[in-house]
Amino acid sequence: MDTDFTADLTIMEEGTEFIKRVTSGGVLPMITSCSPGWIKYIEMYYPDLLAHLSTCKSPQQMFGALAKTFYAEKKGIDPANIYSVSIMPCTAKKFEAQRDELTDSGYQDVDVVLTTRELGRMLREIGVDWDSLPEENYDDPMGLSTGAAVIFGATGGVMEAAVRTVYEILTKQPLPDINLTPVRGMEGIKEATLKVGDLDVKVAVAHTLGNARKLLDKIRAGEADYHFIEIMCCPGGCIGGGGQPIPTNLDVRLKRIAGTYKADEELPLRKSHENPAITAIYEQFLGEPLGEKSHKLLHTFYVPRGVYSKPEGLPDKVPSDDHH
Amino acid sequence: MATVSLTIDNVKVEVEQGSTILEAAKQIGVNIPTLCYMKDINAIGACRICVVEVQGARALQAACVSPVAEGMVVKTNSAAVRASRKMTLELIQSNHPQECNTCQRNTNCELQALSEAMALGDIRFVRPAQSHSKDDIDNSSPSIVRDPRKCILCRRCVAVCEKVQGVKCISTMNRGFETVVAPPFNQSLNDVNCAMCGQCSLVCPTGAIVEVDDTGKVWRALDDANKHVVVQTAPAVRVAIAEEFGMEPGTLAQASWWQPSPPRL
Ligand code: SF4
Ligand code: SF4
Ligand code: SF4
Ligand code: FES
């Protein structure tokens, strides 16, 4: 099955969370939470800003929680016997999967994480002949996804995917231009302002922790008037993740980004809310975005760590009233 | 733009003032080998693999940090240059475990590739007691493993951690053969401010920083008839996995995924 499915689901949850924060005076700017190196970084260096993070779990962890609940139920499998493997471009995902709180299915939601390099190693070990692999679709019920999910892999992609959905939910109009080009590309910090109904939504996108720091310092100083910020830990986003094939340099990153947007363009569906498998999981299992089941399985809290030890005066977890 | 003209391997070249010899050579298609150098991130002249002969200079110069000068005459492949590079490599290898066959970076290692390219036939001075032992391997982190035995002290990891990620959780400590790249006071990576991003493992030219290998766990689960193994693949994997099989970066790993079937729920 496909993490892209839960990337679409992330957009539904995170988009709805964003709309709720904007309309009900919640903490802004809201910052994306899918990159676990970034999460560990903000927990260590900016624990006072954790309330800015979306409470959405990463797509990997949403998938893990659903594999041992929704999928297990559907297939009639005892979740205790499900072994959940994820293939990630990322070494920090190994850390994320081990976090104590990411056990909402009643088990460790993701059992093991392999990087792209390790998957390559396993496939070579069994002598896979790359060119003669048959073409197959991802398995249902968590296999169908849209272009909005594919672009999660490139810096700016989560923002673009979110805009495609938030715009249409809020205005009930089709988005004039599906391509949000100002947030694409390798520039360290990218900004854009979009008219969504009567609201001018100001967004920013940063990749690398060095660039993240610049935005966080702005927030701390009260100088950030953004509504929504996407932060990815690695240069270029996940396509440049620490678990990707070696070499990963600027040239390679640009090619992977180009491949990502090409894939998005060629997909029949490019907006998360148009994914019929997403509609189905809400109908059959989750209820609605931010609903009770979503809250339990798809959202989480963060742990103020500090660089050496937890700074005084901060709660043990943020949001502190989270009943996970 | 002020320019400087110089001669590299008998070819005249005009380059922007302030360029390095390495950059100038690249302009005319002369590749100078490098190990510690990383464009825009690490130019510290540490490894001396990139040495070249500059007419009139007292010693060989590290091309990655030497700026060009008007009228400079450079040789990138003279006997002295080749001998020096080979000696540098041999000295690195003298304090390096010779275990390519079982190394995670086997066939994708810059040190190994350079040793092959330079036909390093013999390593004459293997240190009987190497600087670091297997006990020094840090596998405390769930994400990455540090093996100081394989570290060639190029400091590329230090540079990326500090300059790109702004984390600065690893740096060089001690002197001489005792030098090690590690977190402060040689603490375990898991106990310090490491974000686990693995960017250091991407830039390491050798197997000194690698991902934790969890493939054994997955094989065991696959072989266990009582386990139902569920696999998910992240968005960014599909544009990269093909590289593990020698394909162009950005190649999509799955064509039919452009025409998904209607969902069967
Ligand atoms: S780091 Fe490179 S040279 Fe050293 S053992 Fe591994 S493959 Fe061989
Ligand atoms: S994983 Fe990232 S934060 Fe940790 S040492 Fe490597 S580059 Fe630095
Ligand atoms: S660990 Fe790797 S990148 Fe870091 S100094 Fe050693 S060889 Fe260089
Ligand atoms: S590459 Fe120039 S000194 Fe290392």
Side-chain angles (χ1 to χ4, degrees), chain A residues 55 104 295 299-302 317-324:
Chain A
T55 58
D104 290 320
H295 179 77
H299 291 258
T300 188
F301 58 86
Y302 305 102
K317 55 186 193 178
V318 178
S320 52
D321 58 352
D322 195 281
H323 301 300
H324 270 85

Side-chain angles (χ1 to χ4, degrees), chain A residues 3-15:
Chain A
T3 319
D4 280 23
F5 169 79
T6 38
D8 278 333
L9 194 59
T10 301
I11 290 301
M12 298 306 293
E13 294 290 330
E14 197 161 345

Side-chain angles (χ1 to χ4, degrees), chain A residues 1-3 40 45 71 81 83 85 87 91 94 117-118 121 124 136 138 209 240 246 256 266 280, chain B residues 108 143 165 193-194 196 199 201 211-214 228 230-234 238 243-244 254 258 265:
Chain A
M1 290 185 286
D2 199 354
T3 319
K40 183 153 191 268
Y45 285 89
Y71 175 79
N81 293 331
Y83 193 77
V85 178
I87 316 290
T91 50
K94 290 177 185 272
R117 299 199 286 271
E118 289 164 273
R121 213 170 288 145
R124 288 195 300 270
E136 267 179 47
Y138 281 100
L209 297 174
I246 294 170
R256 292 184 193 145
E266 291 176 6
Chain B
N108 190 10
S143 298
Q165 298 299 48
N193 52 330
C194 169
M196 319 254 175
Q199 289 300 314
S201 75
E211 70 281 6
V212 170
D213 187 318
D214 285 314
H228 181 91
V230 168
V231 182
Q232 57 169 321
T233 59
R238 67 206 65 205
E243 293 162 46
E244 289 287 317
Q254 196 190 0
W258 298 350
L265 278 157

